[in-house]
Amino acid sequence: MGDVFKALADPTRRTILDELTERDGQTLFEICVRLTGRHQLSLTRQAVSQHLAVLEEAGLITTRKQGRYKFHHLDTTPLAAIFERWPITRKGQAP
């Protein structure tokens, strides 16, 4: 679970997850274009690739290869595990 928190600690990685939430199954090129165009993040492909590796290692994304392309998909399973471990309750309510 520590890998999940490490991955989520970086604002760029959270932005990548936001992009995959909005449009799942993107290639590295598509993610780079969206980060530059929509968020004015000027990152090299190598930097984005390293961020994607951290997210994949934490289990927050999965990849699928098709021909020459590698597609990145959001996987919220690790986040569900966090919510199961620490359920969100409203003030004054029992878990």
Side-chain angles (χ1 to χ4, degrees), residues 10-85:
D10 186 277
T12 301
R13 289 193 282 269
R14 291 193 306 269
T15 302
I16 292 170
L17 292 175
D18 289 341
E19 285 299 324
L20 290 174
T21 299
E22 189 172 309
R23 184 167 171 269
D24 202 26
Q26 296 183 60
T27 64
L28 173 61
F29 176 77
E30 292 170 318
I31 293 169
C32 289
V33 168
R34 289 175 72 96
L35 291 176
T36 302
R38 299 182 79 206
H39 304 281
Q40 292 71 44
L41 292 175
S42 177
L43 300 168
T44 64
R45 288 172 55 108
Q46 178 67 28
V48 174
S49 182
Q50 289 173 350
H51 283 299
L52 290 168
V54 172
L55 291 168
E56 188 172 14
E57 192 173 296
L60 291 166
I61 64 170
T62 59
T63 58
R64 172 182 55 86
K65 285 191 175 188
Q66 184 175 334
R68 293 180 13 195
Y69 299 100
K70 186 176 182 181
F71 297 90
H72 302 84
H73 299 275
L74 179 65
D75 185 352
T76 58
T77 305
L79 299 176
I82 291 170
F83 284 112
E84 287 174 14
R85 182 171 178 176

